[in-house]
Amino acid sequence: MHGAWHGAWCWEKLTAVLEADGWRTRAIDLPSAGGRAGMHDDAQAVLGELELIDGPVVVVAHSYGGIPVSQAAAEAGNVSRIVYLTAFQLDVGESLLGFAGAPVPPEPGDFEPMPNDPIAMFYGDAPRSEAEEAAKRLVPQSTKSFWDVLTKAAWHTVPSTYIICEGDQALPAQAQQVLAERSGAVHRIAGDHSPFLSKPAELAALLAKVALDLG
């Protein structure tokens, strides 16, 4: 599941590689990106999609997407593993704002402002033309999604893997390391916040290894 300000479009390069290798993939747009929906609305969207899939599913969650995935996968019966890709692997009672140490307002506003320099923050290793195109596709992100707290955390019962992106400028590697301690297995990529754009072949190979080895 995609991160804040993004959409299902961000997975296109990665899914093309995975599907060429014989994997079946699905991606959805989370309603908090471009709308006023909260994290629990996103979780319901994820859960609804999971309920349409037969057999075991490996769910890949990027950045903010880790939060609704943790909530939704706790209610799904077909998730064999969650892969947290430089993602917020939060626990019950935590929110994105709370984990980041930011003040949580008594009532959330409408939208989180766009990053001032999304290319540097998200796409530092991607080809410049692709980074510019991706930045143009970003949309406002619901503040409520950053404010809502988890009531369930699937990684307590569902196996999880964390992928640390060592050159990440959005979620620093030090913070990722703290989150990764909650996962059963940890891998590393020497890259930016969005390896699905900058290193799709490398990421696809790693995800295939995780799915096959379940580690």
Side-chain angles (χ1 to χ4, degrees), residues 39 43 61-72 84 87-90 94-97 145-146 148-150 152:
M39 183 275 291
H62 178 243
S63 196
Y64 159 79
I67 307 173
V69 163
S70 292
Q71 181 77 31
Y84 292 92
F88 289 90
Q89 187 171 352
L90 302 186
E94 293 180 339
S95 68
L96 189 151
L97 287 179
S145 64
F146 287 4
D148 284 341
V149 300
L150 279 173
K152 299 177 181 179

Side-chain angles (χ1 to χ4, degrees), residues 23-215:
W23 294 95
R24 288 182 295 172
T25 68
R26 298 176 80 153
I28 64 169
D29 292 315
L30 298 178
S32 66
R36 291 179 171 80
M39 183 275 291
H40 291 283
D41 301 299
D42 289 342
Q44 284 301 307
V46 174
L47 181 60
E49 190 71 13
L50 289 172
E51 290 175 341
L52 298 175
I53 303 173
D54 293 326
V57 181
V58 176
V59 182
V60 181
H62 178 243
S63 196
Y64 159 79
I67 307 173
V69 163
S70 292
Q71 181 77 31
E75 300 181 38
N78 59 347
V79 178
S80 60
R81 180 166 293 270
I82 303 170
V83 179
Y84 292 92
L85 175 62
T86 182
F88 289 90
Q89 187 171 352
L90 302 186
D91 208 346
V92 173
E94 293 180 339
S95 68
L96 189 151
L97 287 179
F99 179 81
V104 179
E107 290 294 334
D110 288 336
F111 296 106
E112 285 294 302
M114 291 272 200
N116 291 329
D117 188 350
I119 292 178
M121 180 172 286
F122 298 142
Y123 317 122
D125 295 334
R128 183 71 187 190
S129 60
E130 293 182 16
E132 289 174 349
E133 285 302 311
K136 291 177 184 177
R137 300 179 77 171
L138 299 178
V139 296
Q141 177 70 26
S142 160
T143 297
K144 190 175 189 304
S145 64
F146 287 4
W147 178 80
D148 284 341
V149 300
L150 279 173
T151 59
K152 299 177 181 179
W155 53 267
H156 285 291
T157 54
V158 177
S160 62
T161 296
Y162 202 100
I163 299 177
I164 294 175
C165 295
E166 295 177 326
D168 196 332
Q169 300 301 305
L171 183 58
Q174 184 176 2
Q176 293 177 63
Q177 186 63 54
V178 172
L179 293 163
E181 291 176 1
R182 297 172 170 178
S183 273
V186 180
H187 298 275
R188 294 176 178 270
I189 289 179
D192 62 16
H193 188 64
S194 306
F196 43 79
L197 188 66
S198 58
K199 298 186 175 184
E202 180 180 341
L203 178 58
L206 178 54
L207 292 176
K209 179 181 185 299
V210 169
L212 291 170
D213 297 345
L214 294 181

